[in-house]
Amino acid sequence: MVFLAALPGFAQAQTVLTGGATQTVAPATTLLGDVLINGIGSALTVDATGQVTGDVDLLTGTVTHNGTIAGGIDTTGAAGQSTTTVIVGATGIVGGAVTLETGNLTSAGALNDGLTLGTNSSATIQAGGSINGSDTVVNLGTLTIEAGAAVNTNVTLNGTQAASVDGGRINNSGTITGNIEQTGGIITTDGTIIGDTTVNSGAFNAEGAITGDLTMINGTFTTTGLLTHTGNVDVQGGRMNVTGGDMTVTGSFGNDGILTIGAGRTLTAPIVTNTGLIVGNDNGTIDGDLASTGGEIQLNDGVVGDTFTITGDLTGSTTLVMDIDLSTANAADTDLLVVGGLVDGTVTIELDPQAGGFTLQSAPVILVDGTSLGGSLTATMRGIPQTRGPIVYTLDTDPANGDIVLLSGVNPAIGGVVGAFSSVQNLVGTVINRPSGAFVSGIAFDTPDNCSRGGWARAVGGRATSDTTTNGNLLSATGTTRTDFAGIQGGFDFGCFEAFDGGWDIVGGVLFGHNRGSVLHNSFGLTTDADFSQSYGGVYVNAAKGNFSAELQLRHERSSFDFMNVALGLDDSVSTNTTQLSGSTSYRFALENGMFIVPTAGFGIGRTSSGSLTFNGANGLPAGVLQPADHNSSIGFAGATMGRTMVDEASNSALTSFVTATIYNDFSSDRVATFTATNGGVTDTLTTESMGAFGELSVGLSYARVLSAAPSGIRQMNANIRADYRFNKDLKGASVTAQFRLQF
């Protein structure tokens, strides 16, 4: 039924179509006023060149339009209905706003005052169709822009916040000329966008061409094919996924969100500024420079061997997270960052181990393969053992090749064990068992045959602190060893005095002794504890004539060391055997008033063989064996003693005070030890420098007394006490020695 009414106060009539009524506006005819359509089967048809001067309100029914509607089309009153349909043909023109709260719109014509889509509405702009004038707003509806269609307005999408929920969509294969504001919903484009785009939330899927600035506040932006972007990109939050196709950006690219470069995909931009997270995949590429300010590049996906490329420079402050497999000796597998330009700034590499176990790698493992390194480059590492366990890793740079590499080697603290071992061996050889000889003295009494027996004892105790440097194939460590020691020595001898041609005094004897001590070694942030004990025996001969005296001593030592360092997996013992030959000569120059000077020179040479130490890994199983090599030692010394003797004839005794200055020099070659990893049998050779030259200052007192003949047979007593201080740039130590001798 059609109602045409001219109501008082209105300039135009309203056409009402209900109950299945239809109205056709024929070509070149005009329907005055507004049109209300409300009824199943009701329809308005506007033929080409036909006109409607007012608005069309569509509640239920159909509008087929090929002419001109001066007003707008509105389905607001049809909320919840699905039986409203608007078809705008190629010649159709709508002069007013089109608002679809519900229903379907198909348009190949011109909508000249914008389009608004509400809940449960959809619109398709076909080839040749256009939206012009006011904004295009999609509220939970669906707008499809087909190829050849044009939207020449700003576009706003207000959809659901979760992209997975079907609420608010724009599908563009045509051209949008205007700014886009997205809050929720899904935008998919493979056409052209000319205007600035802001993604507040939702999902934006793109290929084709976009001209204008893109700002991401939140949400997800994903390339579904090749995308050319003319303008700037500012990812302030959310996710930018270059995963379904490559993306070329002509302007600046800033990322403070999550930027993912898919496998085999390329993001091309003059410079990418990163303060957020870049997720790189195998064969992914940033074609341009990357300037990072606290940003992160994440390559770890649980699969080792990914290669990610930056064709330009890498500068600024960057954290690089990578997968690595170090479980096979000499066959490390790792993700790789390739930089085609300069690597500079601060690079923190976090390595994510993907297999159990850490082994030695005899060659550097390249982590960042650059072209050149900048002068302010600082590279640090985290994520794998650096101070714990027998095998450790550290970063290094290779300026010649522009690389940042991973070096592996024996934990320098193990080198510290070698250093402690060497330090104690040096200390025993030069301080505790000093090569200056047994405690032998002349006799001041007459014997029937000028021959006499004697025995002596010596006690020594002290502390020494020494710095040692141990060098491995790739790593080195400086450590400090503190040694506390105590020892007792003794000997028996027989000598004849002025009984040989030329008036020589000759004394020969045997000696024995035992030393004990403790060692505390700090190296590479770890502390190694050790206890040692040593037993030895030997023979000596002393010759003197006038003011000249000399001694030669041959000694064999057996030492045992108990080492403990839980962090290194070390709880083992090792024994050593040393054979040493030492000797000294001296000459006494008598001065006035009981004063004298005695210059002395001597040597000590020896050879030490050693057992091995086993280190366990975190699983408690053996991780490697440290084998010190046989070592030849060679020590020389020279010094002088100045003293004064005061004789008490009434008691047949003499008291001597003295001061001594001595210079020792360790001529030995570096001590060498070999660490062999259990997994793969790769070895690392560790060398520890010798002690070198050091000085010794001594002060002391000597006491001698001739006793009357007694049933015990003791005719002479000698006693001596001396304090020593030793020093050089790496050694500081002090000890006290007390000696006692009885002559029969």
Side-chain angles (χ1 to χ4, degrees):
M1 184 177 295
V2 179
F3 295 94
L4 299 177
L7 301 178
F10 289 87
Q12 297 187 28
Q14 182 185 47
T15 301
V16 179
L17 304 176
T18 62
T22 63
Q23 174 74 43
T24 299
V25 181
T29 64
T30 299
L31 178 63
L32 300 175
D34 301 330
V35 179
L36 172 64
I37 305 171
N38 185 14
I40 297 175
S42 299
L44 172 66
T45 301
V46 181
D47 292 336
T49 70
Q51 297 185 44
V52 175
T53 62
D55 298 326
V56 176
D57 291 328
L58 177 63
L59 303 183
T60 303
T62 302
V63 174
T64 303
H65 175 51
N66 289 285
T68 300
I69 297 177
I73 301 175
D74 190 348
T75 68
T76 301
Q81 299 292 327
S82 60
T83 56
T84 57
T85 302
V86 178
I87 301 171
V88 179
T91 59
I93 299 172
V94 179
V98 177
T99 302
L100 269 68
E101 181 61 30
T102 188
N104 302 306
L105 166 68
T106 301
S107 176
L111 310 180
N112 288 334
D113 196 20
L115 170 67
T116 299
L117 298 179
T119 306
N120 299 321
S121 66
S122 65
T124 299
I125 310 302
Q126 298 174 324
S130 65
I131 303 175
N132 310 292
S134 300
D135 293 348
T136 298
V137 180
V138 179
N139 296 313
L140 299 178
T142 299
L143 171 63
T144 300
I145 306 166
E146 295 182 347
V151 175
N152 302 311
T153 70
N154 295 330
V155 176
T156 299
L157 172 62
N158 296 313
T160 55
Q161 297 301 306
S164 59
V165 178
D166 189 6
R169 289 176 178 266
I170 296 176
N171 304 308
N172 174 49
S173 295
T175 300
I176 298 176
T177 302
N179 299 329
I180 297 177
E181 184 87 17
Q182 179 183 8
T183 302
I186 301 173
I187 296 178
T188 300
T189 178
D190 58 4
T192 299
I193 296 175
I194 303 173
D196 297 337
T197 300
T198 301
V199 180
N200 296 296
S201 61
F204 197 114
N205 306 311
E207 59 183 283
I210 297 177
T211 298
D213 294 339
L214 168 63
T215 301
M216 285 194 63
I217 308 300
N218 210 330
T220 302
F221 187 102
T222 303
T223 62
T224 55
L226 177 62
L227 174 63
T228 300
H229 191 286
T230 303
N232 303 317
V233 176
D234 184 12
V235 183
Q236 299 177 13
R239 292 176 174 269
M240 168 74 72
N241 302 318
V242 183
T243 52
D246 297 341
M247 181 177 183
T248 299
V249 179
T250 61
S252 63
F253 192 111
N255 176 52
D256 194 31
I258 301 174
L259 169 63
T260 299
I261 311 295
R265 298 305 180 191
T266 299
L267 169 63
T268 301
I271 183 169
V272 175
T273 302
N274 182 41
T275 55
L277 172 64
I278 296 176
V279 179
N281 290 274
D282 191 29
N283 294 320
T285 301
I286 293 177
D287 187 5
D289 296 335
L290 176 63
S292 185
T293 305
E296 180 174 309
I297 302 174
Q298 193 176 84
L299 304 183
N300 61 322
D301 56 0
V303 179
V304 182
D306 294 341
T307 297
F308 188 74
T309 301
I310 300 169
T311 63
D313 297 337
L314 172 63
T315 58
S317 173
T318 303
T319 297
L320 175 62
V321 185
M322 313 173 72
D323 294 314
I324 194 166
D325 181 358
L326 295 164
S327 62
T328 304
N330 281 344
D333 194 9
T334 180
D335 294 340
L336 177 66
L337 177 65
V338 177
V339 180
L342 176 73
V343 180
D344 203 2
T346 301
V347 178
T348 301
I349 298 180
E350 181 174 335
L351 296 173
D352 187 3
Q354 294 301 310
F358 299 95
T359 61
L360 283 172
Q361 307 294 323
S362 59
V365 179
I366 299 175
L367 303 177
V368 178
D369 183 5
T371 301
S372 61
L373 303 180
S376 60
L377 174 64
T378 301
T380 57
M381 179 181 66
R382 63 184 183 225
I384 62 173
Q386 298 174 68
T387 61
R388 296 294 186 267
I391 309 298
V392 295
Y393 304 86
T394 187
L395 289 185
D396 198 8
T397 57
D398 181 2
N401 296 304
D403 299 337
I404 300 175
V405 298
L406 177 70
L407 303 181
S408 69
V410 173
N411 192 322
I414 291 182
V417 173
V418 179
F421 184 81
S422 301
S423 179
V424 171
Q425 291 286 338
N426 288 333
L427 195 65
V428 168
T430 60
V431 176
I432 303 176
N433 300 336
R434 46 193 303 122
S436 55
F439 187 27
V440 176
S441 67
I443 60 174
F445 58 90
D446 294 329
T447 61
D449 54 3
N450 286 338
C451 293
S452 176
R453 293 171 291 109
W456 57 275
R458 174 184 294 155
V460 60
R463 170 178 290 181
T465 301
S466 59
D467 296 332
T468 55
T469 299
T470 300
N471 298 306
N473 293 340
L474 297 176
L475 303 177
S476 63
T478 298
T480 299
T481 304
R482 192 191 74 190
T483 305
D484 295 304
F485 58 89
I488 56 172
Q489 305 169 38
F492 297 99
D493 51 49
F494 179 81
C496 293
F497 303 91
E498 297 183 355
F500 296 88
D501 291 343
W504 283 93
D505 301 338
I506 303 295
V507 177
V510 296
L511 58 84
F512 51 87
H514 183 77
N515 301 311
R516 299 187 67 85
S518 62
V519 179
L520 192 66
H521 181 83
N522 292 302
S523 178
F524 211 59
L526 299 179
T527 298
T528 301
D529 296 310
D531 294 322
F532 70 90
S533 64
Q534 180 190 75
S535 298
Y536 60 90
V539 297
Y540 60 89
V541 60
N542 182 281
K545 180 180 180 181
N547 292 329
F548 173 81
S549 64
E551 180 181 300
L552 197 63
Q553 182 183 122
L554 179 65
R555 185 171 65 243
H556 182 76
E557 306 163 355
R558 181 170 179 80
S559 306
S560 63
F561 295 82
D562 297 322
F563 285 98
M564 172 66 74
N565 189 318
V566 176
L568 291 176
L570 174 61
D571 184 6
D572 201 5
S573 300
V574 64
S575 297
T576 66
N577 289 281
T578 301
T579 300
Q580 183 158 325
L581 176 68
S582 62
S584 62
T585 62
S586 61
Y587 192 89
R588 180 186 179 95
F589 293 93
L591 304 175
E592 296 179 352
N593 299 321
M595 299 288 291
F596 62 88
I597 294 178
V598 181
T600 303
F603 72 95
I605 56 175
R607 182 171 178 82
T608 300
S609 60
S610 173
S612 61
L613 289 169
T614 298
F615 293 80
N616 295 322
N619 56 6
L621 299 176
V625 175
L626 181 69
Q627 177 62 64
D630 292 350
H631 181 257
N632 295 324
S633 60
S634 178
I635 300 168
F637 65 93
T641 299
M642 174 176 286
R644 182 182 182 187
T645 301
M646 294 178 290
V647 178
D648 185 350
E649 295 181 356
S651 62
N652 290 326
S653 64
L655 180 65
T656 301
S657 58
F658 62 88
V659 60
T660 302
T662 308
I663 295 178
Y664 291 86
N665 191 66
D666 188 352
F667 296 98
S668 308
S669 60
D670 293 345
R671 292 182 182 269
V672 178
T674 301
F675 183 89
T676 302
T678 303
N679 186 344
V682 182
T683 62
D684 196 352
T685 301
L686 304 171
T687 60
T688 305
E689 299 172 352
S690 64
M691 189 177 294
F694 65 92
E696 179 184 73
L697 294 176
S698 306
V699 295
L701 293 171
S702 294
Y703 178 77
R705 182 173 182 179
V706 177
L707 304 175
S708 60
S712 63
I714 301 175
R715 296 297 307 276
Q716 182 173 313
M717 178 189 70
N718 292 77
N720 175 289
I721 187 169
R722 185 184 72 246
D724 303 309
Y725 176 72
R726 301 166 192 91
F727 58 93
N728 68 6
K729 65 181 182 66
D730 297 322
L731 172 68
K732 300 292 183 293
S735 64
V736 175
T737 303
Q739 304 177 104
F740 184 78
R741 179 180 176 87
L742 297 177
Q743 196 73 35
F744 299 90

